[in-house]
């Protein structure tokens, strides 16, 4: 596998939805960190009646079944369209408030419903909504920070599949005093 392929494979975490992935893919990538971790979270739509652990990182939601670690989800915030709170029917909690996460990936829409099995705990709702809002409002900064530096050895780093059409001499980067 070439270095460009390795780099591209390491950049999916916040852009894709992956189901039942290998444990190695659940490991945090460079620049990713856990903001909160909660046990007793049910994947009410996909695995109703099954408790699991939810890790909320700065790039994605990770849900792993307590019964079988091979049953898991990775939901990148870049695929999220909307997050809201509505009523759901949980096998473990009955009718209760749940977190609805509407996503779009590869032309398909997916809806995920998560229920906190700990009664009267708004933590799942408040944390996920706040982290997603922070992610969504910092796209430009994150693209530069996570996808790599822009300039190396005084040359523009060309991203995969990007092409240079013109080089114009005498253009200055005023923020760094560079030509």
């Amino acid at each position: 596998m070439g270095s460009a392929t390795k780099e591209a494979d390491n950049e999916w975490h916040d852009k894709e939805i992956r189901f039942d992935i290998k444990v190695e893919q659940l490991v945090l990538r460079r620049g990713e960190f856990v903001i909160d971790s909660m046990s007793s979270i049910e994947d009410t739509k996909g695995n109703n009646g099954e408790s699991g652990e939810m890790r909320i990182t700065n790039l994605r939601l990770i849900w792993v079944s307590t019964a079988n670690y091979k049953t898991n989800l990775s939901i990148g915030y870049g695929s999220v369209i909307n997050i809201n709170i509505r009523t759901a029917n949980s096998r473990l909690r009955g009718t209760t408030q749940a977190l609805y996460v509407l996503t779009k990936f590869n032309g398909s829409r997916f809806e995920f419903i998560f229920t906190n099995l700990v009664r009267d705990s708004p933590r799942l709702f408040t944390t996920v909504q706040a982290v997603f809002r922070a992610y969504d409002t910092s796209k430009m900064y994150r693209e530069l920070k996570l996808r790599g530096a822009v300039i190396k050895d005084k040359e523009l780093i060309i991203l995969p599949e990007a092409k240079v059409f013109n080089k114009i001499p005498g253009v200055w980067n005023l923020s760094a005093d560079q030509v």
Side-chain angles (χ1 to χ4, degrees):
M1 186 182 302
S3 65
T5 307
K6 281 183 183 178
E7 286 175 19
D9 190 48
N10 198 27
E11 295 177 357
W12 62 269
H13 299 77
D14 66 323
K15 298 193 179 295
E16 296 183 12
I17 298 168
R18 293 195 177 181
F19 300 89
D20 302 332
I21 58 179
K22 296 177 183 174
V23 175
E24 302 87 57
Q25 293 179 318
L26 293 172
V27 173
L28 305 182
R29 64 157 283 169
R30 185 177 47 94
E32 182 178 21
F33 55 89
V34 174
I35 294 168
D36 201 352
S37 182
M38 295 174 232
S39 57
S40 301
I41 304 294
E42 177 188 54
D43 174 12
T44 307
K45 187 165 187 179
N47 296 287
N48 202 337
E50 198 169 318
S51 181
E53 179 187 331
M54 172 76 75
R55 282 183 273 159
I56 302 164
T57 80
N58 59 320
L59 300 178
R60 60 185 167 154
L61 296 174
I62 301 170
W63 181 85
V64 179
S65 168
T66 305
N68 180 0
Y69 69 88
K70 291 181 181 180
T71 303
N72 58 63
L73 295 168
S74 175
I75 305 169
Y77 295 130
S79 67
V80 173
I81 298 170
N82 190 19
I83 295 176
N84 58 49
I85 302 165
R86 296 196 318 244
T87 303
N89 291 314
S90 160
R91 284 189 187 152
L92 300 175
R93 284 271 320 262
T95 302
T96 186
Q97 292 293 302
L99 183 74
Y100 280 69
V101 181
L102 180 63
T103 64
K104 186 174 183 181
F105 178 63
N106 279 346
S108 297
R109 288 181 181 255
F110 300 94
E111 180 181 58
F112 300 92
I113 304 171
F114 297 104
T115 302
N116 192 341
L117 301 175
V118 177
R119 295 197 184 278
D120 301 322
S121 175
R123 202 167 115 209
L124 174 65
F125 310 131
T126 57
T127 305
V128 171
Q129 287 175 320
V131 172
F132 174 68
R133 188 171 28 256
Y135 175 91
D136 198 41
T137 57
S138 63
K139 286 182 180 178
M140 180 67 92
Y141 172 77
R142 186 181 47 266
E143 287 298 316
L144 289 174
K145 195 75 172 162
L146 291 179
R147 308 291 180 230
V150 177
I151 296 175
K152 184 176 180 181
D153 298 326
K154 296 186 180 185
E155 287 290 322
L156 179 67
I157 296 174
I158 306 301
L159 298 174
E161 299 182 32
K163 295 179 183 175
V164 175
F165 289 99
N166 286 323
K167 286 188 178 185
I168 302 171
V171 176
W172 283 78
N173 176 352
L174 297 176
S175 66
D177 238 2
Q178 296 176 342
V179 176

